[in-house]
């Protein structure tokens, strides 16, 4: 299980940025930080791991908050999240470098997003890949709804994950807990 703490570090522009430091089971520290708007393009290679269509990524990246996970100053994960209104946020893209998978990094990225949005609903849309669905369900996400033919209608070529040709978008959701309020006597 990951151990997390939030620290604030000064930036070079006399502003402060929040960094989330996680100690993972792989005995490495991961720092998660928000990506500046002007820097998002540089993360396209890793975003393409999570969604192999650059035109599709461009449909949501400008309205997304993009978070990057770093280990030893190397980007190992990204997570793009959009605000869908009414206390709902959608994870549009979650990608982890192949060499860093199955080490708790994807789950740590999700947990970080969940801590940023207490008292909200986090949505995740994914294909019918049993391994991916299992990962999200083990992370506490439950089936919400299905968008039939999403991959057929929105991608110019078949999307294949682990030998499964994706057709429908399966949405999962998780309710995050609100922050606890201090009782003042």
């Amino acid at each position: 299980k990951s151990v997390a703490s939030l620290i604030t570090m000064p930036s070079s522009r006399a502003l402060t940025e929040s960094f989330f430091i996680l100690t993972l089971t792989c005995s490495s520290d991961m720092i998660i930080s928000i990506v500046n708007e002007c820097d998002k393009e540089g993360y396209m290679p890793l975003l393409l791991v999570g969604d192999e269509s650059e035109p599709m990524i461009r449909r949501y990246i400008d309205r997304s908050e993009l978070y990057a996970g770093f280990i030893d100053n190397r980007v190992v994960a990204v997570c793009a999240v959009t605000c869908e209104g009414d206390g709902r946020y959608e994870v549009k893209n979650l990608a982890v470098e192949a060499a860093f998978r199955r080490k708790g990094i994807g789950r740590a990225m999700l947990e970080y997003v969940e801590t940023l949005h207490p008292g909200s609903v986090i949505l995740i849309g994914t294909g019918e890949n049993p391994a991916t669905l299992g990962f999200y369900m083990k992370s506490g996400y439950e089936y919400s709804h299905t968008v039939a033919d999403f991959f057929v209608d929105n991608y110019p070529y078949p999307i294949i994950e682990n030998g499964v040709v994706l057709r429908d978008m399966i949405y999962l959701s998780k309710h995050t807990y609100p922050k606890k309020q201090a009782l003042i006597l």
Side-chain angles (χ1 to χ4, degrees):
K1 185 121 182 163
S2 62
V3 178
S5 64
L6 183 64
I7 63 170
T8 303
M9 303 173 72
S11 74
S12 60
R13 289 178 263 184
L15 299 172
T16 58
E17 295 178 308
S18 293
F19 290 88
F20 196 68
I21 308 236
L22 295 143
T23 302
L24 301 168
T25 55
C26 61
S27 300
S28 298
D29 288 338
M30 181 169 70
I31 298 173
I32 300 173
S33 66
I34 193 165
V35 175
N36 292 326
E37 289 295 320
C38 58
D39 296 332
K40 288 180 179 178
E41 189 69 29
Y43 293 85
M44 188 60 73
L46 192 49
L47 287 163
L48 286 165
V49 170
D51 183 341
E52 60 188 69
S53 170
E54 189 171 331
M56 185 62 78
I57 293 169
R58 293 199 182 283
R59 287 173 54 178
Y60 59 77
I61 197 64
D62 287 340
R63 62 186 185 94
S64 297
E65 291 289 337
L66 182 62
Y67 304 96
F70 297 87
I71 294 178
D72 296 329
N73 294 320
R74 175 181 172 186
V75 64
V76 298
V78 291
C79 186
V81 181
T82 59
C83 177
E84 299 299 320
D86 298 325
R88 295 176 308 124
Y89 295 86
E90 185 175 343
V91 173
K92 294 285 194 176
N93 192 318
L94 175 62
V96 177
E97 284 281 353
F100 291 88
R101 291 185 191 142
R102 304 192 64 80
K103 298 179 188 293
I105 292 172
R107 184 164 293 164
M109 296 295 286
L110 287 176
E111 289 173 359
Y112 179 64
V113 168
E114 292 163 12
T115 64
L116 293 175
H117 305 291
S120 300
V121 175
I122 308 293
L123 296 166
I124 297 174
T126 189
E128 307 100 319
N129 180 343
T132 304
L133 288 167
F135 163 74
Y136 289 125
M137 288 180 174
K138 285 179 186 173
S139 298
Y141 288 80
E142 297 177 344
Y143 174 80
S144 172
H145 62 281
T146 299
V147 177
D149 296 326
F150 178 86
F151 292 98
V152 174
D153 293 342
N154 289 283
Y155 289 82
Y157 47 84
I159 303 294
I160 302 169
E161 279 186 12
N162 296 332
V164 177
V165 178
L166 304 183
R167 181 174 194 80
D168 300 333
M169 175 80 79
I170 309 297
Y171 272 92
L172 305 164
S173 67
K174 183 176 186 178
H175 295 268
T176 61
Y177 294 103
K179 288 183 180 177
K180 293 181 180 179
Q181 299 295 320
L183 180 62
I184 301 173
L185 301 174

